[in-house]
mmCIF file of all heavy atoms in Angstrom:
data_model
loop_
_atom_site.group_PDB
_atom_site.id
_atom_site.type_symbol
_atom_site.label_atom_id
_atom_site.label_comp_id
_atom_site.label_asym_id
_atom_site.label_seq_id
_atom_site.Cartn_x
_atom_site.Cartn_y
_atom_site.Cartn_z
ATOM 1 N N HIS A 1 0.865 -27.246 -10.945
ATOM 2 C CA HIS A 1 0.469 -25.936 -11.289
ATOM 3 C C HIS A 1 1.240 -25.019 -10.325
ATOM 4 O O HIS A 1 1.231 -25.263 -9.124
ATOM 5 C CB HIS A 1 -1.015 -25.790 -11.104
ATOM 6 C CG HIS A 1 -1.610 -24.514 -11.659
ATOM 7 N ND1 HIS A 1 -1.395 -23.230 -11.004
ATOM 8 C CD2 HIS A 1 -2.423 -24.225 -12.721
ATOM 9 C CE1 HIS A 1 -2.064 -22.318 -11.715
ATOM 10 N NE2 HIS A 1 -2.622 -22.937 -12.746
ATOM 11 N N VAL A 2 1.759 -23.919 -10.775
ATOM 12 C CA VAL A 2 2.536 -23.108 -9.937
ATOM 13 C C VAL A 2 1.791 -22.497 -8.765
ATOM 14 O O VAL A 2 2.407 -22.341 -7.639
ATOM 15 C CB VAL A 2 3.220 -21.919 -10.756
ATOM 16 C CG1 VAL A 2 2.110 -20.990 -11.347
ATOM 17 C CG2 VAL A 2 4.225 -21.164 -9.920
ATOM 18 N N LEU A 3 0.575 -22.232 -8.904
ATOM 19 C CA LEU A 3 -0.135 -21.718 -7.805
ATOM 20 C C LEU A 3 -0.330 -22.681 -6.653
ATOM 21 O O LEU A 3 -0.282 -22.383 -5.494
ATOM 22 C CB LEU A 3 -1.605 -21.165 -8.246
ATOM 23 C CG LEU A 3 -1.503 -19.930 -9.086
ATOM 24 C CD1 LEU A 3 -2.989 -19.592 -9.560
ATOM 25 C CD2 LEU A 3 -0.988 -18.776 -8.363
ATOM 26 N N ILE A 4 -0.610 -23.947 -7.047
ATOM 27 C CA ILE A 4 -0.778 -24.972 -6.038
ATOM 28 C C ILE A 4 0.617 -25.293 -5.374
ATOM 29 O O ILE A 4 0.684 -25.308 -4.160
ATOM 30 C CB ILE A 4 -1.248 -26.336 -6.665
ATOM 31 C CG1 ILE A 4 -2.758 -26.109 -7.327
ATOM 32 C CG2 ILE A 4 -1.289 -27.443 -5.761
ATOM 33 C CD1 ILE A 4 -3.246 -27.178 -8.157
ATOM 34 N N THR A 5 1.592 -25.338 -6.169
ATOM 35 C CA THR A 5 2.989 -25.516 -5.496
ATOM 36 C C THR A 5 3.300 -24.431 -4.582
ATOM 37 O O THR A 5 3.801 -24.632 -3.473
ATOM 38 C CB THR A 5 4.029 -25.589 -6.642
ATOM 39 O OG1 THR A 5 3.745 -26.715 -7.515
ATOM 40 C CG2 THR A 5 5.439 -25.817 -6.020
ATOM 41 N N ALA A 6 3.061 -23.127 -4.986
ATOM 42 C CA ALA A 6 3.372 -22.004 -4.139
ATOM 43 C C ALA A 6 2.469 -22.011 -2.858
ATOM 44 O O ALA A 6 3.066 -21.832 -1.839
ATOM 45 C CB ALA A 6 3.031 -20.766 -4.884
ATOM 46 N N ALA A 7 1.266 -22.409 -2.963
ATOM 47 C CA ALA A 7 0.396 -22.481 -1.682
ATOM 48 C C ALA A 7 0.878 -23.586 -0.753
ATOM 49 O O ALA A 7 1.052 -23.443 0.524
ATOM 50 C CB ALA A 7 -1.053 -22.668 -2.065
ATOM 51 N N GLU A 8 1.202 -24.724 -1.386
ATOM 52 C CA GLU A 8 1.491 -25.900 -0.533
ATOM 53 C C GLU A 8 2.959 -25.685 0.154
ATOM 54 O O GLU A 8 3.108 -25.993 1.364
ATOM 55 C CB GLU A 8 1.606 -27.233 -1.382
ATOM 56 C CG GLU A 8 0.163 -27.642 -1.796
ATOM 57 C CD GLU A 8 0.149 -28.850 -2.749
ATOM 58 O OE1 GLU A 8 1.214 -29.240 -3.230
ATOM 59 O OE2 GLU A 8 -0.928 -29.433 -2.952
ATOM 60 N N GLU A 9 3.903 -25.115 -0.645
ATOM 61 C CA GLU A 9 5.243 -24.927 -0.099
ATOM 62 C C GLU A 9 5.191 -23.828 0.940
ATOM 63 O O GLU A 9 5.856 -23.950 1.987
ATOM 64 C CB GLU A 9 6.254 -24.567 -1.284
ATOM 65 C CG GLU A 9 6.496 -25.792 -2.125
ATOM 66 C CD GLU A 9 7.092 -26.947 -1.475
ATOM 67 O OE1 GLU A 9 8.021 -26.751 -0.614
ATOM 68 O OE2 GLU A 9 6.610 -28.012 -1.657
ATOM 69 N N THR A 10 4.405 -22.845 0.766
ATOM 70 C CA THR A 10 4.269 -21.746 1.804
ATOM 71 C C THR A 10 3.677 -22.296 3.012
ATOM 72 O O THR A 10 4.160 -22.008 4.154
ATOM 73 C CB THR A 10 3.455 -20.590 1.220
ATOM 74 O OG1 THR A 10 4.069 -20.086 0.015
ATOM 75 C CG2 THR A 10 3.384 -19.506 2.234
ATOM 76 N N LEU A 11 2.633 -23.097 2.867
ATOM 77 C CA LEU A 11 2.023 -23.706 4.077
ATOM 78 C C LEU A 11 2.982 -24.584 4.817
ATOM 79 O O LEU A 11 3.191 -24.431 6.190
ATOM 80 C CB LEU A 11 0.896 -24.529 3.729
ATOM 81 C CG LEU A 11 0.117 -25.242 4.798
ATOM 82 C CD1 LEU A 11 -0.495 -24.237 5.783
ATOM 83 C CD2 LEU A 11 -1.027 -26.085 4.169
ATOM 84 N N LYS A 12 3.837 -25.303 4.147
ATOM 85 C CA LYS A 12 4.868 -26.136 4.844
ATOM 86 C C LYS A 12 5.788 -25.171 5.741
ATOM 87 O O LYS A 12 6.115 -25.479 6.835
ATOM 88 C CB LYS A 12 5.675 -26.919 3.837
ATOM 89 C CG LYS A 12 4.882 -28.118 3.284
ATOM 90 C CD LYS A 12 5.874 -28.753 2.171
ATOM 91 C CE LYS A 12 5.061 -29.848 1.464
ATOM 92 N NZ LYS A 12 5.903 -30.524 0.378
ATOM 93 N N GLU A 13 6.203 -24.126 5.114
ATOM 94 C CA GLU A 13 7.193 -23.288 5.802
ATOM 95 C C GLU A 13 6.587 -22.587 7.011
ATOM 96 O O GLU A 13 7.128 -22.382 8.128
ATOM 97 C CB GLU A 13 7.742 -22.237 4.841
ATOM 98 C CG GLU A 13 8.593 -22.777 3.759
ATOM 99 C CD GLU A 13 9.837 -23.579 4.261
ATOM 100 O OE1 GLU A 13 10.470 -23.164 5.214
ATOM 101 O OE2 GLU A 13 9.974 -24.699 3.844
ATOM 102 N N VAL A 14 5.326 -22.225 6.813
ATOM 103 C CA VAL A 14 4.587 -21.592 7.973
ATOM 104 C C VAL A 14 4.385 -22.612 9.106
ATOM 105 O O VAL A 14 4.593 -22.181 10.279
ATOM 106 C CB VAL A 14 3.264 -20.920 7.514
ATOM 107 C CG1 VAL A 14 2.518 -20.423 8.715
ATOM 108 C CG2 VAL A 14 3.504 -19.801 6.538
ATOM 109 N N LEU A 15 3.972 -23.721 8.854
ATOM 110 C CA LEU A 15 3.735 -24.778 9.804
ATOM 111 C C LEU A 15 5.019 -25.066 10.582
ATOM 112 O O LEU A 15 5.057 -25.381 11.784
ATOM 113 C CB LEU A 15 3.196 -26.038 9.215
ATOM 114 C CG LEU A 15 1.773 -25.928 8.705
ATOM 115 C CD1 LEU A 15 1.358 -27.230 7.925
ATOM 116 C CD2 LEU A 15 0.774 -25.620 9.809
ATOM 117 N N LYS A 16 6.212 -25.032 9.953
ATOM 118 C CA LYS A 16 7.451 -25.216 10.591
ATOM 119 C C LYS A 16 7.787 -24.191 11.650
ATOM 120 O O LYS A 16 8.379 -24.428 12.607
ATOM 121 C CB LYS A 16 8.555 -25.207 9.632
ATOM 122 C CG LYS A 16 8.674 -26.467 8.655
ATOM 123 C CD LYS A 16 9.842 -26.363 7.751
ATOM 124 C CE LYS A 16 9.895 -27.295 6.634
ATOM 125 N NZ LYS A 16 10.872 -27.154 5.660
ATOM 126 N N ALA A 17 7.215 -22.978 11.417
ATOM 127 C CA ALA A 17 7.557 -21.755 12.202
ATOM 128 C C ALA A 17 6.562 -21.649 13.413
ATOM 129 O O ALA A 17 6.820 -20.884 14.364
ATOM 130 C CB ALA A 17 7.589 -20.570 11.365
ATOM 131 N N ILE A 18 5.416 -22.315 13.346
ATOM 132 C CA ILE A 18 4.443 -22.199 14.358
ATOM 133 C C ILE A 18 4.873 -22.764 15.660
ATOM 134 O O ILE A 18 5.258 -23.921 15.742
ATOM 135 C CB ILE A 18 3.032 -22.687 13.910
ATOM 136 C CG1 ILE A 18 2.438 -21.760 12.816
ATOM 137 C CG2 ILE A 18 2.033 -22.810 15.073
ATOM 138 C CD1 ILE A 18 1.113 -22.328 12.249
ATOM 139 N N ARG A 19 4.806 -21.958 16.791
ATOM 140 C CA ARG A 19 5.174 -22.424 18.017
ATOM 141 C C ARG A 19 4.539 -21.398 19.130
ATOM 142 O O ARG A 19 4.177 -20.333 18.684
ATOM 143 C CB ARG A 19 6.727 -22.365 18.258
ATOM 144 C CG ARG A 19 7.336 -21.075 18.088
ATOM 145 C CD ARG A 19 8.764 -21.043 18.065
ATOM 146 N NE ARG A 19 9.392 -19.718 18.035
ATOM 147 C CZ ARG A 19 9.409 -18.926 16.962
ATOM 148 N NH1 ARG A 19 8.922 -19.382 15.724
ATOM 149 N NH2 ARG A 19 9.955 -17.668 17.040
ATOM 150 N N PRO A 20 4.480 -21.723 20.304
ATOM 151 C CA PRO A 20 3.935 -20.734 21.208
ATOM 152 C C PRO A 20 4.864 -19.514 21.310
ATOM 153 O O PRO A 20 6.016 -19.569 21.187
ATOM 154 C CB PRO A 20 3.997 -21.487 22.660
ATOM 155 C CG PRO A 20 3.951 -22.923 22.297
ATOM 156 C CD PRO A 20 4.719 -23.089 20.973
ATOM 157 N N GLU A 21 4.204 -18.344 21.370
ATOM 158 C CA GLU A 21 4.802 -16.969 21.431
ATOM 159 C C GLU A 21 5.293 -16.517 20.059
ATOM 160 O O GLU A 21 5.776 -15.385 19.979
ATOM 161 C CB GLU A 21 5.895 -16.928 22.466
ATOM 162 C CG GLU A 21 5.522 -17.336 23.843
ATOM 163 C CD GLU A 21 4.396 -16.386 24.358
ATOM 164 O OE1 GLU A 21 4.544 -15.231 24.392
ATOM 165 O OE2 GLU A 21 3.276 -17.004 24.660
ATOM 166 N N VAL A 22 5.169 -17.262 18.976
ATOM 167 C CA VAL A 22 5.495 -16.668 17.665
ATOM 168 C C VAL A 22 4.465 -15.502 17.383
ATOM 169 O O VAL A 22 3.379 -15.626 17.814
ATOM 170 C CB VAL A 22 5.483 -17.739 16.596
ATOM 171 C CG1 VAL A 22 4.136 -18.256 16.257
ATOM 172 C CG2 VAL A 22 6.143 -17.265 15.244
ATOM 173 N N THR A 23 4.970 -14.562 16.624
ATOM 174 C CA THR A 23 4.026 -13.414 16.454
ATOM 175 C C THR A 23 3.321 -13.538 14.998
ATOM 176 O O THR A 23 3.867 -14.215 14.145
ATOM 177 C CB THR A 23 4.816 -12.125 16.427
ATOM 178 O OG1 THR A 23 5.722 -12.000 15.357
ATOM 179 C CG2 THR A 23 5.506 -11.891 17.745
ATOM 180 N N VAL A 24 2.258 -12.865 14.908
ATOM 181 C CA VAL A 24 1.560 -12.749 13.590
ATOM 182 C C VAL A 24 2.464 -12.122 12.598
ATOM 183 O O VAL A 24 2.428 -12.573 11.419
ATOM 184 C CB VAL A 24 0.229 -11.934 13.840
ATOM 185 C CG1 VAL A 24 -0.407 -11.705 12.439
ATOM 186 C CG2 VAL A 24 -0.788 -12.705 14.711
ATOM 187 N N GLU A 25 3.256 -11.123 12.987
ATOM 188 C CA GLU A 25 4.103 -10.494 11.996
ATOM 189 C C GLU A 25 5.164 -11.493 11.420
ATOM 190 O O GLU A 25 5.436 -11.473 10.234
ATOM 191 C CB GLU A 25 4.891 -9.381 12.622
ATOM 192 C CG GLU A 25 5.832 -8.609 11.753
ATOM 193 C CD GLU A 25 6.539 -7.465 12.336
ATOM 194 O OE1 GLU A 25 6.834 -7.473 13.545
ATOM 195 O OE2 GLU A 25 6.737 -6.502 11.545
ATOM 196 N N GLU A 26 5.652 -12.404 12.320
ATOM 197 C CA GLU A 26 6.692 -13.383 11.833
ATOM 198 C C GLU A 26 6.018 -14.314 10.795
ATOM 199 O O GLU A 26 6.606 -14.632 9.797
ATOM 200 C CB GLU A 26 7.236 -14.122 13.066
ATOM 201 C CG GLU A 26 8.098 -13.367 13.874
ATOM 202 C CD GLU A 26 8.572 -14.133 15.231
ATOM 203 O OE1 GLU A 26 7.766 -14.171 16.172
ATOM 204 O OE2 GLU A 26 9.595 -14.697 15.184
ATOM 205 N N LEU A 27 4.831 -14.821 11.176
ATOM 206 C CA LEU A 27 4.194 -15.798 10.301
ATOM 207 C C LEU A 27 3.686 -15.112 8.981
ATOM 208 O O LEU A 27 3.902 -15.715 7.830
ATOM 209 C CB LEU A 27 3.103 -16.380 10.963
ATOM 210 C CG LEU A 27 3.390 -17.321 12.164
ATOM 211 C CD1 LEU A 27 2.094 -17.870 12.761
ATOM 212 C CD2 LEU A 27 4.358 -18.388 11.851
ATOM 213 N N SER A 28 3.195 -13.983 9.006
ATOM 214 C CA SER A 28 2.812 -13.214 7.869
ATOM 215 C C SER A 28 3.929 -12.846 6.923
ATOM 216 O O SER A 28 3.838 -12.858 5.698
ATOM 217 C CB SER A 28 1.931 -12.002 8.172
ATOM 218 O OG SER A 28 2.728 -11.013 8.808
ATOM 219 N N THR A 29 5.106 -12.609 7.543
ATOM 220 C CA THR A 29 6.314 -12.322 6.761
ATOM 221 C C THR A 29 6.718 -13.512 5.966
ATOM 222 O O THR A 29 7.109 -13.370 4.751
ATOM 223 C CB THR A 29 7.386 -11.782 7.692
ATOM 224 O OG1 THR A 29 6.977 -10.644 8.304
ATOM 225 C CG2 THR A 29 8.685 -11.533 6.843
ATOM 226 N N ILE A 30 6.680 -14.723 6.600
ATOM 227 C CA ILE A 30 7.078 -15.971 5.888
ATOM 228 C C ILE A 30 6.123 -16.128 4.673
ATOM 229 O O ILE A 30 6.537 -16.527 3.525
ATOM 230 C CB ILE A 30 6.980 -17.137 6.861
ATOM 231 C CG1 ILE A 30 8.067 -16.956 7.962
ATOM 232 C CG2 ILE A 30 7.045 -18.439 6.104
ATOM 233 C CD1 ILE A 30 7.859 -18.065 9.038
ATOM 234 N N ILE A 31 4.774 -15.933 4.872
ATOM 235 C CA ILE A 31 3.866 -16.074 3.789
ATOM 236 C C ILE A 31 4.209 -15.193 2.708
ATOM 237 O O ILE A 31 4.301 -15.630 1.482
ATOM 238 C CB ILE A 31 2.463 -15.825 4.214
ATOM 239 C CG1 ILE A 31 2.015 -16.873 5.343
ATOM 240 C CG2 ILE A 31 1.475 -15.845 3.092
ATOM 241 C CD1 ILE A 31 0.755 -16.588 6.075
ATOM 242 N N GLU A 32 4.415 -13.946 2.919
ATOM 243 C CA GLU A 32 4.774 -12.904 1.933
ATOM 244 C C GLU A 32 6.002 -13.383 1.117
ATOM 245 O O GLU A 32 6.050 -13.400 -0.115
ATOM 246 C CB GLU A 32 5.030 -11.622 2.579
ATOM 247 C CG GLU A 32 5.423 -10.516 1.727
ATOM 248 C CD GLU A 32 4.417 -9.568 1.176
ATOM 249 O OE1 GLU A 32 3.377 -9.444 1.852
ATOM 250 O OE2 GLU A 32 4.566 -9.049 0.070
ATOM 251 N N GLU A 33 7.031 -13.681 1.841
ATOM 252 C CA GLU A 33 8.354 -14.089 1.252
ATOM 253 C C GLU A 33 8.252 -15.307 0.264
ATOM 254 O O GLU A 33 8.814 -15.329 -0.804
ATOM 255 C CB GLU A 33 9.475 -14.119 2.249
ATOM 256 C CG GLU A 33 9.710 -12.712 2.845
ATOM 257 C CD GLU A 33 10.786 -12.868 4.007
ATOM 258 O OE1 GLU A 33 11.133 -13.945 4.439
ATOM 259 O OE2 GLU A 33 11.207 -11.709 4.389
ATOM 260 N N VAL A 34 7.659 -16.433 0.920
ATOM 261 C CA VAL A 34 7.682 -17.658 0.159
ATOM 262 C C VAL A 34 6.738 -17.552 -0.993
ATOM 263 O O VAL A 34 7.152 -18.027 -2.124
ATOM 264 C CB VAL A 34 7.279 -18.803 1.131
ATOM 265 C CG1 VAL A 34 7.287 -20.156 0.286
ATOM 266 C CG2 VAL A 34 8.203 -18.873 2.327
ATOM 267 N N VAL A 35 5.533 -17.032 -0.860
ATOM 268 C CA VAL A 35 4.639 -16.912 -2.035
ATOM 269 C C VAL A 35 5.299 -16.062 -3.114
ATOM 270 O O VAL A 35 5.313 -16.491 -4.337
ATOM 271 C CB VAL A 35 3.354 -16.277 -1.564
ATOM 272 C CG1 VAL A 35 2.462 -16.018 -2.811
ATOM 273 C CG2 VAL A 35 2.502 -17.209 -0.687
ATOM 274 N N SER A 36 5.947 -14.954 -2.753
ATOM 275 C CA SER A 36 6.514 -14.076 -3.734
ATOM 276 C C SER A 36 7.681 -14.648 -4.479
ATOM 277 O O SER A 36 7.921 -14.336 -5.670
ATOM 278 C CB SER A 36 7.021 -12.779 -3.053
ATOM 279 O OG SER A 36 5.875 -12.144 -2.512
ATOM 280 N N SER A 37 8.365 -15.677 -3.834
ATOM 281 C CA SER A 37 9.447 -16.350 -4.466
ATOM 282 C C SER A 37 9.053 -17.209 -5.713
ATOM 283 O O SER A 37 9.864 -17.532 -6.516
ATOM 284 C CB SER A 37 10.142 -17.264 -3.489
ATOM 285 O OG SER A 37 9.414 -18.435 -3.152
ATOM 286 N N PHE A 38 7.732 -17.445 -5.813
ATOM 287 C CA PHE A 38 7.164 -18.199 -6.952
ATOM 288 C C PHE A 38 6.688 -17.186 -8.030
ATOM 289 O O PHE A 38 6.049 -17.648 -9.007
ATOM 290 C CB PHE A 38 6.069 -19.111 -6.530
ATOM 291 C CG PHE A 38 6.573 -20.338 -5.708
ATOM 292 C CD1 PHE A 38 6.682 -20.294 -4.370
ATOM 293 C CD2 PHE A 38 6.912 -21.523 -6.351
ATOM 294 C CE1 PHE A 38 7.157 -21.375 -3.640
ATOM 295 C CE2 PHE A 38 7.272 -22.622 -5.742
ATOM 296 C CZ PHE A 38 7.420 -22.586 -4.362
ATOM 297 N N ASP A 39 6.879 -15.949 -7.847
ATOM 298 C CA ASP A 39 6.413 -14.923 -8.694
ATOM 299 C C ASP A 39 4.866 -14.888 -8.888
ATOM 300 O O ASP A 39 4.343 -14.648 -9.981
ATOM 301 C CB ASP A 39 7.115 -15.025 -10.129
ATOM 302 C CG ASP A 39 8.563 -14.704 -10.076
ATOM 303 O OD1 ASP A 39 8.952 -13.733 -9.327
ATOM 304 O OD2 ASP A 39 9.350 -15.382 -10.702
ATOM 305 N N VAL A 40 4.254 -15.207 -7.814
ATOM 306 C CA VAL A 40 2.766 -15.093 -7.795
ATOM 307 C C VAL A 40 2.457 -14.238 -6.544
ATOM 308 O O VAL A 40 3.316 -13.875 -5.706
ATOM 309 C CB VAL A 40 2.076 -16.488 -7.750
ATOM 310 C CG1 VAL A 40 2.508 -17.194 -9.016
ATOM 311 C CG2 VAL A 40 2.437 -17.269 -6.491
ATOM 312 N N ASN A 41 1.157 -13.977 -6.307
ATOM 313 C CA ASN A 41 0.683 -13.115 -5.169
ATOM 314 C C ASN A 41 -0.041 -13.881 -4.134
ATOM 315 O O ASN A 41 -0.883 -14.734 -4.463
ATOM 316 C CB ASN A 41 -0.152 -11.969 -5.682
ATOM 317 C CG ASN A 41 0.758 -11.040 -6.522
ATOM 318 O OD1 ASN A 41 1.768 -10.674 -6.177
ATOM 319 N ND2 ASN A 41 0.047 -10.576 -7.693
ATOM 320 N N PRO A 42 0.064 -13.480 -2.835
ATOM 321 C CA PRO A 42 -0.909 -14.029 -1.887
ATOM 322 C C PRO A 42 -2.160 -13.190 -1.950
ATOM 323 O O PRO A 42 -2.125 -12.008 -2.481
ATOM 324 C CB PRO A 42 -0.195 -13.702 -0.547
ATOM 325 C CG PRO A 42 0.697 -12.483 -0.872
ATOM 326 C CD PRO A 42 1.130 -12.634 -2.258
#
């Protein structure tokens, strides 16, 4: 299901980016961009 794929793939990308001192803006931007690439909405 496209919604499940979009959620799972976005989560993978966010988890890759999580590290000490990363900002909320950086992580929220990844979520926006990856979810939108599936033509669905967060």
Side-chain angles (χ1 to χ4, degrees):
H1 193 289
V2 65
L3 291 177
I4 298 174
T5 303
E8 291 177 347
E9 291 302 313
T10 302
L11 180 58
K12 287 178 186 177
E13 294 303 313
V14 175
L15 291 174
K16 288 178 188 176
I18 288 179
R19 63 188 185 281
E21 302 302 301
V22 68
T23 67
V24 171
E25 181 177 34
E26 290 174 277
L27 296 180
S28 65
T29 299
I30 292 170
I31 295 170
E32 174 96 26
E33 292 177 350
V34 180
V35 171
S36 298
S37 73
F38 287 88
D39 292 323
V40 299
N41 292 318

